[in-house]
Amino acid sequence: MKNIKYFFILLSTAIMITSCSKDEHNKSDDTNASTSKPNILLIIADDFGLDASPNYNVGTTKPNMPHLQELSNNGITFDNCWAFPMCSATRASILTGKYGVKTGVLNATDASTINANEKTLQAYLDDQLGKTYSHSIIGKWHLSNGEPNRPTEMGIDYFAGLLTGGTKSYNSWNLVENGISNPSTEYITTKTTNLAIDWIKNQDKNWFCWLAYTVPHTPFHLPPNHMHSQGNLPTDQGSIDANPLPYFMAMAESMDYEIGRLLDNIPQDERENTIIIFIGDNGTAGQVIQNPYVSNRSKGSVYQGGIAVPLIISGKGVSRFGVRDNNLISSTDLFATIANIAGVNVTDYENSKSFYGLLNDDTTTKRTYNYSEVLNDVPAKSGYTIRNDIYKLICLDNDAKRFYNLIADPFETNNLLTNLSTEEEAVYNTLLQEANRIRN
């Protein structure tokens, strides 16, 4: 009897050990399945051009942004990224992988509402991968005219932030969270970061967080002193209007401060499994843009000061450290590239061309031409532009045209159309043909 009892004790113990081992194995499998894909953090800065960004040689005054500089040091700085001249158009291009001429989102006012039937990047990931990723857009939306449910109706799991393009005060604004609007008096840059921290903490699987800061968009002001290094500047409107640049710099620094706080709040193992993409949505505003750019060729224009934006990528899956890349990149290309990062096998989608391979290899992309456009009531400010690796063509709605060699003349001072060589004329015609193909 004692032997039989002892046998059953041994048998029960063996079953328990086997069961525990199986459970631990399954947990390990679940963890490996989760960490085999990176988390994706997309950070969009508002009205933040090359002249305002560290690690770019445009502009003489730079904000102190150690966290963004660290991303550059540990990743890739892209020197030829084009967005669109106004924020809504750039956001729509990332969200859909399409140029504005295809979505109708061409400015930040009367042509800034995205069609609810457009396929978003988040919905595309769900279609291709199931619900592998949870996703959010936190911060500025500016893609619909007061429809508080538009983000979630278009397949985004969670939206919280500013529905409109801007706010009169960074300390008094309407926070919309999954369709529910409430007034907020928390400094908007801090609140946006807190929302991102809280959302990320609540995820139990891979996540894609689209974090769209309002800063450093107007109104120019002095952020809380602990968030910047510009000192105790006067806060009256007259002082700000007389010299807005240090306030703009302080706002950029406050964004960097909050990016650092966000990253510090992501657990180390989770942070190591996260790829970080930072991009500006368009060029710097004319009031604060710096030489060699000029105010009438800033945000809102198809000149370099309006569409050339910083793009920095670092983190999980990036093996090129502290390098610069000269390939042509469009903001539309983030659609296919992020899809690749998430595990979708796609190289081209609508107007989006993946540059995923550049994260590890010093190679070339499939993009031969870059394109941008804007719609403006003033024909001299409305039109499109297209470039190859050397030349850029601008066609405005008042029938004016400009043609530049961006290698010899990166700041567009010499319009070549007055005296084209045979080679230049051939390129000019090729660019016109390619633009017509895109637009028709």
Side-chain angles (χ1 to χ4, degrees):
M1 182 66 73
K2 287 183 179 179
N3 288 339
I4 294 175
K5 184 176 181 181
Y6 182 64
F7 169 77
F8 279 109
I9 290 172
L10 288 175
L11 181 61
S12 298
T13 303
I15 291 171
M16 288 175 64
I17 292 172
T18 303
S19 178
C20 289
S21 298
K22 185 176 180 181
D23 287 344
E24 289 301 315
H25 177 71
N26 287 341
K27 286 179 182 177
S28 176
D29 284 349
D30 290 343
T31 301
N32 290 336
S34 177
T35 57
S36 63
K37 292 179 179 293
N39 303 309
I40 303 164
L41 175 60
L42 170 63
I43 302 173
I44 304 177
D46 204 349
D47 296 357
F48 189 74
L50 299 184
D51 57 302
S53 179
N55 213 36
Y56 286 89
N57 62 358
V58 182
T60 55
T61 302
K62 295 288 186 177
N64 180 29
M65 302 183 74
H67 299 104
L68 187 57
Q69 186 64 58
E70 183 180 4
L71 294 179
S72 298
N73 294 343
N74 295 317
I76 309 168
T77 300
F78 292 89
D79 284 325
N80 286 312
C81 178
W82 273 12
F84 292 79
M86 292 187 179
C87 49
S88 298
T90 296
R91 292 160 205 273
S93 74
I94 301 171
L95 196 66
T96 66
K98 297 179 182 180
Y99 299 137
V101 70
K102 305 299 183 183
T103 64
V105 181
L106 292 160
N107 60 31
T109 52
D110 57 334
S112 64
T113 297
I114 194 166
N115 191 306
N117 293 325
E118 290 285 355
K119 173 77 73 175
T120 64
L121 172 56
Q122 292 82 354
Y124 178 77
L125 293 180
D126 287 350
D127 287 349
Q128 298 295 314
L129 303 172
K131 290 298 294 183
T132 303
Y133 278 82
S134 55
H135 37 69
S136 62
I137 292 182
I138 297 172
K140 178 173 172 175
W141 171 248
H142 201 190
L143 283 171
S144 54
N145 187 22
E147 298 90 348
N149 294 304
R150 180 61 60 83
T152 50
E153 287 173 348
M154 297 185 73
I156 290 93
D157 288 340
Y158 175 77
F159 170 77
L162 188 69
L163 203 64
T164 56
T167 177
K168 292 181 180 180
S169 169
Y170 271 57
N171 293 294
S172 180
W173 54 286
N174 278 335
L175 167 63
V176 176
E177 189 170 13
N178 280 353
I180 307 300
S181 179
N182 286 297
S184 175
T185 56
E186 188 171 359
Y187 188 65
I188 191 169
T189 315
T190 299
K191 180 63 175 179
T192 301
T193 306
N194 288 341
L195 288 164
I197 290 171
D198 291 343
W199 182 80
I200 289 171
K201 281 183 177 178
N202 287 328
Q203 303 316 303
D204 57 5
K205 59 181 177 181
N206 287 110
W207 47 263
F208 168 29
C209 180
W210 171 315
L211 178 59
Y213 283 111
T214 304
V215 69
H217 191 286
T218 54
F220 300 130
H221 64 277
L222 191 66
N225 282 338
H226 68 278
M227 300 170 67
H228 67 86
S229 65
Q230 298 297 313
N232 292 316
L233 300 171
T235 57
D236 63 283
Q237 195 60 48
S239 297
I240 295 172
D241 292 343
N243 185 21
L245 186 60
Y247 300 88
F248 175 80
M249 293 294 161
M251 294 168 71
E253 291 178 2
S254 74
M255 174 175 59
D256 189 82
Y257 174 90
E258 293 292 12
I259 290 172
R261 190 167 66 86
L262 168 65
L263 296 179
D264 286 345
N265 274 276
I266 300 174
Q268 185 63 30
D269 58 340
E270 197 170 348
R271 165 79 184 275
E272 290 173 355
N273 192 46
T274 300
I275 186 169
I276 304 165
I277 303 168
F278 176 92
I279 190 171
D281 69 346
N282 48 247
T284 304
Q287 305 99 303
V288 289
I289 201 165
Q290 297 182 71
N291 289 330
Y293 297 141
V294 292
S295 60
N296 65 345
R297 293 185 173 188
S298 59
K299 170 187 176 179
S301 82
V302 291
Y303 290 90
Q304 292 295 93
I307 60 175
V309 296
L311 173 64
I312 297 164
I313 304 182
S314 180
K316 180 69 173 181
V318 179
S319 63
R320 299 172 69 199
F321 303 134
V323 302
R324 310 194 76 87
D325 192 283
N326 289 317
N327 280 280
L328 301 184
I329 306 291
S330 167
S331 57
T332 58
D333 297 339
L334 289 179
F335 188 110
T337 303
I338 289 173
N340 277 171
I341 292 168
V344 181
N345 183 19
V346 61
T347 56
D348 293 82
Y349 179 90
E350 299 290 350
N351 303 121
S352 179
K353 296 181 181 296
S354 174
F355 59 92
Y356 180 65
L358 296 181
L359 303 184
N360 293 291
D361 296 318
D362 183 9
T363 183
T364 56
T365 68
K366 294 177 63 178
R367 181 166 290 283
T368 306
Y369 305 100
N370 222 345
Y371 172 84
S372 188
E373 65 201 331
V374 68
L375 179 65
N376 194 298
D377 291 338
V378 180
K381 296 181 178 180
S382 184
Y384 69 86
T385 182
I386 187 170
R387 68 165 294 182
N388 64 11
D389 58 338
I390 298 175
Y391 293 97
K392 175 180 178 180
L393 172 65
I394 295 174
C395 295
L396 300 174
D397 290 350
N398 65 351
D399 294 329
K401 290 182 173 59
R402 307 280 188 271
F403 190 61
Y404 300 103
N405 181 326
L406 289 180
I407 305 303
D409 181 26
F411 304 115
E412 302 159 299
T413 60
N414 180 28
N415 183 5
L416 298 174
L417 285 178
T418 56
N419 186 25
L420 289 178
S421 68
T422 301
E423 176 192 351
E424 290 166 345
E425 186 170 7
V427 174
Y428 171 83
N429 289 327
T430 299
L431 291 177
L432 269 180
Q433 291 170 6
E434 180 64 18
N436 288 333
R437 186 193 67 77
I438 290 170
R439 297 174 61 80
N440 295 315

